[in-house]
Amino acid sequence: QVQLVESGGGLVQAGGSLTLSCKAYTNFFGVSAMAWYRQVPGKQRELVASISSFGNVNYASSVLGRFTISKDTSTKSLLLQMNNLEPEDTGVYYCTMQDTWGRGTQVTVSS
């Protein structure tokens, strides 16, 4: 019942920043948990960050201190602020809510 559209990906040099956005067109305020995942060819999709309805957050150890997950209620969007990007952060980033997935947005970090 949720439609998700990711945006904000792109090409950036190591040390740079990007902000990803996942806009929800339905059921945003009733969703109990939301998360960002990423996937690189040859590797399984991994959890990057999650946030509960109470605001509890969880981060993968590899991004802790560099990424921040948040909600923007004015736009019904799930955000991922990514700072001090590393080449290892390269991948397709997906957001998920209530077992619904967006189509992803590509993030490429050059060294």
Side-chain angles (χ1 to χ4, degrees):
Q1 305 299 324
V2 179
Q3 289 186 308
L4 307 174
V5 180
E6 300 101 334
S7 63
L11 175 63
V12 64
Q13 290 192 135
S17 299
L18 285 173
T19 299
L20 304 184
S21 177
C22 175
K23 183 174 178 58
Y25 289 88
T26 60
N27 301 337
F28 181 80
F29 298 104
V31 175
S32 61
M34 309 175 186
W36 283 97
Y37 283 73
R38 68 186 178 192
Q39 188 166 31
V40 178
K43 299 178 63 178
Q44 66 181 29
R45 187 173 298 185
E46 65 174 340
L47 176 66
V48 176
S50 63
I51 184 168
S52 73
S53 60
F54 296 101
N56 296 319
V57 298
N58 182 65
Y59 296 97
S61 60
S62 60
V63 307
L64 187 64
R66 299 187 297 116
F67 290 12
T68 302
I69 188 171
S70 63
K71 302 173 185 177
D72 185 341
T73 57
S74 67
T75 60
K76 299 203 303 181
S77 299
L78 178 68
L79 306 177
L80 184 67
Q81 176 64 51
M82 306 185 295
N83 297 321
N84 194 24
L85 284 161
E86 305 169 350
E88 293 74 21
D89 295 318
T90 293
V92 179
Y93 284 68
Y94 302 87
C95 71
T96 182
M97 306 178 191
Q98 296 182 331
D99 296 320
T100 298
W101 297 79
R103 291 191 175 277
T105 184
Q106 175 71 232
V107 172
T108 303
V109 184
S110 63
S111 60

